[in-house]
Amino acid sequence: MPDAPAAPAARDYKSTLFLPQTDFPMRAGLPKAEPKWLERWERLGLYERLREHAKGRPPFVLHDGPPYANGHIHMGTALTKVLKDMIVRSRQMAGFDANYVPGWDCHGLPIEWKVEEEFRGKGRSKRDVPSSEFRARCREYAAHWIDVQSEEFQRLGGAGDWETPYTTMAYEAEAIIAAELWKFRDNGLLYRGSKPVMWSPVEQTALAEAEIEYHDKQSPTIWVRFKPVAGAADDVKDASVVIWTTTPWTIPGNRAVCYGPRLSYGLYEVAALEEGLEFDPWAAPGDRLLLADNLAQSVFSAAKIADAKRLRDVSAEELGAMTLAHPFRGAGYAFDVPMLAGDHVTDDAGTGFVHTAPSHGQDDFEAWIAHGRSYADIPHPVGPDGAYTKDAPGFEGLKILRTEGKKQGEDADANKAVVAKLIEEGALLARGRLKHSYPHSWRSKAPIIFRNTPQWFIALDKPLEDGETLRDKALRSIDETQFTPASGKNRLRSMVEGRPDWLISRQRAWGVPLAIFVHRETGDILKDAAVDARIAEAMRARGADAWFDTPTSEFLGADYSENDWEKVEDILDVWFDSGTTHAFVVEARSDLTWPADVYCEGSDQHRGWFQSSLLQSSGTRGRAPYGHVVTNGFVVDAEGRKMSKSLGNVVSPQDVIKQYGADIVRIWVAQADYTEDMRAGDESFKSAADAYRKIRNTLRYLLGALNGFSDSERIDPRDMPELERYALHLLEKTGREVRAAYEAYDFKQVWRRLFDFMTLDLSAFYLDVRKDVLYCDAPSSLRRRAARTVMETLFDRLTSWLAPICVFTAEEAWLTRFPSEDGSVHLRQFADAPAAWRDDALAAKWAKIMQARRAITGALEIERREERIGASLEAAPTVYADDPDVAAAIGSVDMAEIAITSGLTIGEGAAPEAARRIEDAPGVAIVPARAAGEKCQRCWRVLDEVPRGGVCKRCAAAVQEIEGR
């Protein structure tokens, strides 16, 4: 037989297809690409152009809480800075003039401590360094770290006035900080008092609550006998009132013993001691002890008392009539020790009696004063260095804590010496050890003590002229403030409700001075506008140094004598500095407006900056300096543990940026609930990177699909196919949700909505369905023009919505589509969607169509898995719908196009038993089948109309149009 004629060679139709083309690379290369965008923005003067574009818009002010200028940024500061940037950028694009002025906190212990370490490393202690030299070095140190941190913050993509930030060490700022304190002097809330404050012997300064952190500490515990000397009944005269304390070193400062007026007390007599002990207990049979009944047994256990007899009740009246002797009465402590009623005394632990040293405890101090006792009778047994003074006879010079060397912060000799003296005097009943949470300085990490010392305070409960107290005003301001999360309100309120007066003085060198004069005899504070003006003028010219370097007479002038007036050289609490920033930044700058719309910081700032700003502003302006407080949680490691160098689990933002890029850090912030603690680990950033790749691929596809698009192709939405109108409805809905989430600072919802829309609604549905039309339809096709019109709208909206989060990638995508020497996606605003795009009736219909599509897709996936078909275009299933409305919906559209199959039949009646049903699409059943016909060599659909080796009618017409041009 002759050979069969050879089949004609199949034509290559690739050149007739519209395949997406773009220079937007699939791989981002963010670590290398992002610095180039930063350079471009600097060349462009983007910040200045943002301000120019925003002129005349309503202002929006996020006031930057100042970080300390004393080291590289960490993940916590990176988190907060990214949040602030997303807030500012989203408000700018929402139509506001959202100026952002970064700032730094430059004074205080964190910087001073580092500079002290520098000098110690050079063999010079702080006391050997002239004050002017020390302060100058502190200023240099802060300036260096401002430059470093500024660069690191900008590397995260933050936009702002980096050229003229604010600093608390600017001369103008220092002058305003001093002037803000004078306002408290003038309204009567500033006073000097002597009361126990948290004191760091290592740093030799008072500390605020915000400068304290709690760590476990093992302390000695002692049970001490106090003997009655007056007012005791005959059967009690030889008894002992027993106290318990974890701070033996405070015994020299004891001046009273407190009892609980509502507790039950008894007189006990020791009957027997425990046997077989390796030491002799300090208790003995016949000893009589006064104890709270609920705690007696625990005291017996500590004192190794095996048996004791309760002789009788002891009433509160009887206790109050007693006077005791100090345990060291014969060694320089000849004063009487009164018994004082105190509601702070409980029977939860101890003995029911509280050793009261008004020099060393707030409760002790208040109990002493509440009973009419004199301030003058409160001793000062401990000096600034934590060593005993002459007010602690027999112990002078001994230190409570080691303040230098490798054992800095450990117990020194005081506790041991006091215990030894108690044993010598026969006053010790028992002793032990206790591990408990104890306050430490957050800078030196050393334990603190409570020490009575003259300090300056701002009163919270003194009525002002309008009858309200500062506490009243602050609490009212909290009620008028919005909080994200809402729990922040109760947290801040509880802290303000329970806090003591604001301790504002520090005995340090680097900071803004109180800048006041006090009369040497009366203690009155000088109030004179002319004196204030001279001080302010000097500080504006030479900064805080002027207060220390200028002779007192120059400030006082001719009206006052320096013999009568003392210059106060304490510096202000650094929280007063930062709490005043609203005055010299938000209020003072012409490009900002007071009060700020938002303060945004970590949750620790409820006791720090949020609170100090609230108190400062409420005391001087009658309200909070903010309208909304946004709070983020802490950054922890992948296992939820606090990051620490000792654990080796610290993740630095610099390392993450080097590996992934800043946009990935920003996505990590956006995709998590920032109001909770956030985990930072490999999985966290890999997850963010995976999400980024999907978002980038969608942008890349849109850019490719829009290659060559022009206005002449644009189609009015009213003339579009139903699928495009449905896509615009989804876009409008997404836009509403995204903008509402941005407005609520709910960036997790922003990201989740954008991610789902781009990956599910677009990549997995609309763009997937419209690939066929985009690639294969003729250029004049209405469907193709409508699809490209919608894709252009999608690109426009998505790049703007993504811009506050993916600042670099949104810019790259926008400029890939619209190359420009001076253009930027960040100069744009969020566009409002036309109301006509919203079509709820259409959406309800398409919800039914999508239900059927899920069923078809699920059934065909099984067919592919079982290798009965390859691509979905090889299929032509039959679809059965239990719901007539679903059947009508899928019958009204080209369901084969929507399902990406070559054919599709809508079955009548009930589905056969063998039909496939998918859990995700109830009420819809699918009978899979292969499509009949030949495969189109251009669009790959399988149709009866396709000749062997040829193309379908649609493709033939498209080729003719393309080649006929």
Side-chain angles (χ1 to χ4, degrees):
M1 291 181 62
D3 294 338
R11 177 180 170 180
D12 184 358
Y13 288 96
K14 186 175 181 180
S15 63
T16 71
L17 296 173
F18 179 88
L19 298 177
Q21 293 182 17
T22 178
D23 293 330
F24 189 74
M26 183 179 296
R27 294 181 63 86
L30 293 176
K32 290 184 178 179
E34 289 172 343
K36 296 177 182 177
W37 291 113
L38 290 172
E39 291 171 6
R40 181 183 187 275
W41 292 339
E42 187 174 357
R43 289 196 310 271
L44 183 63
L46 182 59
Y47 167 76
E48 291 77 14
R49 294 196 61 200
L50 284 167
R51 302 281 61 77
E52 185 66 29
H53 274 241
K55 275 185 179 177
R57 297 184 199 167
F60 175 89
V61 176
L62 180 149
H63 180 39
D64 187 31
Y68 278 121
N70 69 331
H72 291 285
I73 68 172
H74 52 76
M75 284 308 301
T77 47
L79 161 63
T80 305
K81 218 67 171 184
V82 168
L83 279 176
K84 293 176 185 178
D85 190 58
M86 292 195 298
I87 290 172
V88 171
R89 288 182 184 274
S90 60
R91 292 287 83 200
Q92 176 83 11
M93 298 187 80
F96 292 87
D97 181 1
N99 190 11
Y100 173 70
V101 179
W104 276 270
D105 205 344
C106 308
H107 295 134
L109 196 55
I111 291 167
E112 188 167 346
W113 188 252
K114 287 290 186 180
V115 172
E116 283 187 35
E117 287 181 344
E118 282 187 6
F119 280 115
R120 283 198 296 270
K122 297 174 182 177
R124 300 175 70 188
S125 68
K126 182 184 175 183
R127 60 179 171 267
D128 299 328
V129 181
S131 176
S132 57
E133 180 186 354
F134 186 85
R135 293 169 64 86
R137 178 58 195 132
C138 287
R139 186 174 290 276
E140 292 171 1
Y141 180 92
H144 164 74
W145 283 110
I146 287 171
D147 290 342
V148 171
Q149 290 186 4
S150 177
E151 184 176 340
E152 291 173 340
F153 286 140
Q154 290 179 70
R155 181 62 186 87
L156 287 164
D161 191 0
W162 300 103
E163 293 301 316
T164 54
Y166 78 86
T167 69
T168 58
M169 69 178 183
Y171 291 171
E172 178 71 17
E174 292 181 329
I176 292 177
I177 291 169
E180 288 294 312
L181 180 69
W182 297 337
K183 294 179 181 179
F184 286 99
R185 173 202 64 190
D186 294 344
N187 66 19
L189 297 186
L190 178 66
Y191 72 94
R192 180 160 59 178
S194 181
K195 61 176 64 175
V197 297
M198 290 183 287
W199 184 272
S200 170
V202 171
E203 294 141 336
Q204 294 193 33
T205 188
L207 298 178
E209 179 65 33
E211 297 169 310
I212 295 298
E213 58 188 20
Y214 288 82
H215 301 289
D216 284 345
K217 180 180 185 295
Q218 192 171 69
S219 298
T221 57
I222 56 172
W223 287 258
V224 181
R225 312 177 203 234
F226 281 71
K227 294 289 188 178
V229 293
D234 289 343
D235 59 347
V236 178
K237 286 181 179 178
D238 293 329
S240 298
V241 171
V242 181
I243 66 92
W244 174 81
T245 182
T246 60
T247 53
W249 63 267
T250 61
I251 293 294
N254 176 274
R255 290 300 181 271
V257 171
C258 286
Y259 62 92
R262 285 178 289 277
L263 301 185
S264 171
Y265 292 93
L267 175 63
Y268 293 83
E269 183 173 280
V270 177
L273 302 177
E274 294 180 14
E275 296 181 358
L277 298 173
E278 296 180 356
F279 62 94
D280 293 330
W282 289 291
D287 286 351
R288 292 192 171 188
L289 308 174
L290 288 170
L291 301 167
D293 289 324
N294 286 348
L295 295 167
Q297 204 56 50
S298 66
V299 175
F300 298 155
S301 176
K304 307 304 178 185
I305 297 170
D307 186 27
K309 181 180 180 182
R310 189 179 190 278
L311 301 178
R312 67 175 178 89
D313 293 340
V314 179
S315 68
E317 291 75 13
E318 188 175 352
L319 293 173
M322 293 169 55
T323 300
L324 310 177
H326 192 281
F328 302 150
R329 190 177 183 88
Y333 298 78
F335 49 84
D336 290 339
V337 175
M339 293 280 282
L340 307 177
D343 290 333
H344 65 290
V345 182
T346 70
D347 55 6
D348 295 333
T351 67
F353 295 105
V354 173
H355 142 61
T356 300
S359 302
H360 303 302
Q362 188 66 32
D363 287 337
D364 305 43
F365 175 84
E366 290 176 358
W368 179 262
I369 298 302
H371 282 272
R373 304 288 166 164
S374 170
Y375 286 95
D377 290 334
I378 298 176
H380 295 80
V382 177
D385 59 352
Y388 283 126
T389 68
K390 61 181 178 57
D391 284 355
F395 302 99
E396 296 95 327
L398 296 180
K399 283 193 170 184
I400 299 161
L401 299 170
R402 298 178 188 272
T403 56
E404 295 177 344
K406 293 182 178 179
K407 294 185 178 182
Q408 175 182 287
E410 294 184 8
D411 285 351
D413 299 325
N415 279 331
K416 291 180 181 178
V418 169
V419 171
K421 185 65 174 176
L422 288 169
I423 295 172
E424 179 186 331
E425 297 292 333
L428 192 68
L429 179 67
R431 66 178 173 182
R433 298 196 70 78
L434 174 71
K435 190 174 184 179
H436 60 145
S437 181
Y438 191 84
H440 290 63
S441 165
W442 75 282
R443 179 52 46 189
S444 68
K445 308 302 180 185
I448 59 98
I449 63 174
F450 288 84
R451 172 176 175 260
N452 185 40
T453 177
Q455 297 288 345
W456 289 92
F457 299 87
I458 291 175
L460 267 68
D461 298 311
K462 180 180 179 180
L464 293 159
E465 287 185 359
D466 60 4
E468 278 194 316
T469 66
L470 176 52
R471 197 186 306 272
D472 293 334
K473 291 180 184 294
L475 292 173
R476 175 169 46 77
S477 292
I478 291 171
D479 290 338
E480 294 169 352
T481 300
Q482 292 180 279
F483 287 85
T484 300
S487 59
K489 177 178 180 178
N490 289 337
R491 183 171 184 183
L492 184 55
R493 170 173 270 279
S494 65
M495 289 181 175
V496 172
E497 283 177 334
R499 67 161 295 151
D501 287 350
W502 188 357
L503 167 63
I504 61 163
S505 53
R506 297 291 185 272
Q507 291 67 50
R508 303 297 293 182
W510 174 232
V512 178
L514 272 69
I516 55 176
F517 292 98
V518 177
H519 197 276
R520 296 183 187 274
E521 292 186 5
T522 66
D524 292 339
I525 307 172
L526 179 62
K527 299 179 186 178
D528 188 301
V531 174
D532 292 347
R534 286 191 287 269
I535 296 170
E537 182 182 3
M539 291 181 70
R540 284 189 173 92
R542 294 183 286 121
D545 286 348
W547 176 252
F548 301 100
D549 299 343
T550 303
T552 299
S553 58
E554 289 190 23
F555 290 139
L556 291 176
D559 294 333
Y560 306 97
S561 169
E562 59 183 303
N563 294 326
D564 297 330
W565 295 92
E566 174 190 3
K567 180 195 285 188
V568 175
E569 295 201 342
D570 287 351
I571 66 166
L572 279 163
D573 171 21
V574 71
W575 292 107
F576 189 90
D577 285 16
S578 60
T580 307
T581 56
H582 69 94
F584 60 84
V585 181
V586 183
E587 193 173 61
R589 286 184 59 140
S590 61
D591 54 355
L592 300 174
T593 55
W594 192 96
D597 294 277
V598 172
Y599 275 31
C600 172
E601 295 297 330
S603 57
D604 56 329
Q605 296 307 316
H606 287 106
R607 68 171 186 163
W609 189 57
F610 295 150
Q611 189 176 155
S612 65
S613 300
L614 170 72
L615 294 175
Q616 200 285 328
S617 184
S618 295
T620 56
R621 290 154 180 81
R623 61 151 294 167
Y626 42 69
H628 197 136
V629 169
V630 177
T631 309
N632 61 266
F634 294 104
V635 177
V636 295
D637 72 6
E639 297 176 11
R641 300 173 302 176
K642 182 179 178 181
M643 290 188 182
S644 71
K645 292 180 181 179
S646 60
L647 290 175
N649 64 344
V650 174
V651 177
S652 83
Q654 294 83 4
D655 290 342
V656 177
I657 289 171
K658 286 178 184 177
Q659 182 175 357
Y660 292 103
D663 267 357
I664 304 305
V665 176
R666 297 175 72 95
I667 291 173
W668 166 74
V669 173
Q671 71 180 10
D673 182 356
Y674 67 80
T675 65
E676 303 288 342
D677 287 352
M678 289 180 55
R679 300 193 177 201
D682 288 342
E683 290 305 313
S684 305
F685 296 111
K686 284 179 182 177
S687 172
D690 288 342
Y692 172 81
R693 276 190 288 272
K694 294 176 182 178
I695 293 295
R696 186 178 181 88
N697 285 340
T698 301
L699 291 174
R700 185 171 185 271
Y701 182 83
L702 287 172
L703 283 165
L706 290 169
N707 182 36
F709 180 81
S710 65
D711 285 344
S712 62
E713 286 187 63
R714 201 177 304 279
I715 293 288
D716 189 292
R718 291 171 293 185
D719 300 326
M720 289 182 177
E722 205 171 279
L723 176 58
E724 273 60 44
R725 287 188 280 116
Y726 177 55
L728 290 178
H729 170 85
L730 293 176
L731 182 63
E732 188 275 340
K733 179 175 182 289
T734 301
R736 275 188 288 114
E737 294 172 348
V738 165
R739 293 189 63 174
Y742 266 132
E743 190 169 350
Y745 314 125
D746 187 352
F747 301 111
K748 181 181 180 182
Q749 177 63 13
V750 170
W751 179 255
R752 175 48 53 197
R753 195 63 198 92
L754 281 174
F755 183 80
D756 287 349
F757 179 65
M758 294 179 73
T759 57
L760 302 178
D761 293 333
L762 297 185
S763 293
F765 169 55
Y766 177 72
L767 298 179
D768 195 32
V769 170
R770 277 300 183 235
K771 281 180 183 177
D772 174 71
V773 166
L774 181 70
Y775 297 175
C776 302
D777 268 19
S780 63
S781 160
L782 183 142
R783 291 191 309 175
R784 186 173 182 277
R785 291 173 60 198
R788 295 242 287 175
T789 301
V790 168
M791 289 178 189
E792 193 227 15
T793 307
L794 288 168
F795 179 83
D796 177 88
R797 299 305 197 271
L798 290 173
T799 48
S800 67
W801 296 338
L802 283 168
I805 299 175
C806 301
V807 294
F808 299 104
T809 302
E811 182 81 317
E812 180 189 6
W814 180 255
L815 291 176
T816 298
R817 172 130 175 77
F818 301 108
S820 170
E821 288 296 322
D822 59 356
S824 173
V825 71
H826 300 295
L827 295 172
R828 301 175 60 219
Q829 294 184 56
F830 297 143
D832 291 322
W837 288 4
R838 182 169 180 170
D839 192 333
D840 292 331
L842 182 67
K845 172 185 173 180
W846 274 81
K848 298 179 177 64
I849 294 171
M850 295 302 290
Q851 178 182 346
R853 186 178 190 271
R854 287 193 298 274
I856 297 166
T857 303
L860 295 184
E861 182 59 38
I862 296 173
E863 293 297 294
R864 269 196 297 269
R865 192 164 60 242
E866 296 180 359
E867 299 183 353
R868 286 192 282 272
I869 62 170
S872 64
L873 286 174
E874 296 178 15
T878 300
V879 182
Y880 294 85
D882 297 342
D883 186 339
D885 290 339
V886 174
I890 62 178
S892 69
V893 298
D894 184 349
M895 198 61 202
E897 178 185 55
I898 304 304
I900 315 181
T901 60
S902 290
L904 186 142
T905 303
I906 300 175
E908 297 182 1
E913 200 171 310
R916 296 191 185 281
R917 293 183 181 272
I918 306 299
E919 185 178 347
D920 193 31
V924 181
I926 309 298
V927 176
R930 290 186 65 87
E934 293 291 329
K935 178 180 179 181
C936 174
Q937 297 303 300
R938 186 168 178 271
C939 71
W940 295 358
R941 287 191 298 170
V942 179
L943 302 169
D944 287 332
E945 67 184 54
V946 178
R948 187 179 182 192
V951 296
C952 66
K953 294 176 182 178
R954 188 264 309 247
C955 287
V959 170
Q960 185 176 3
E961 180 178 323
I962 292 166
E963 294 183 342
R965 289 187 171 186

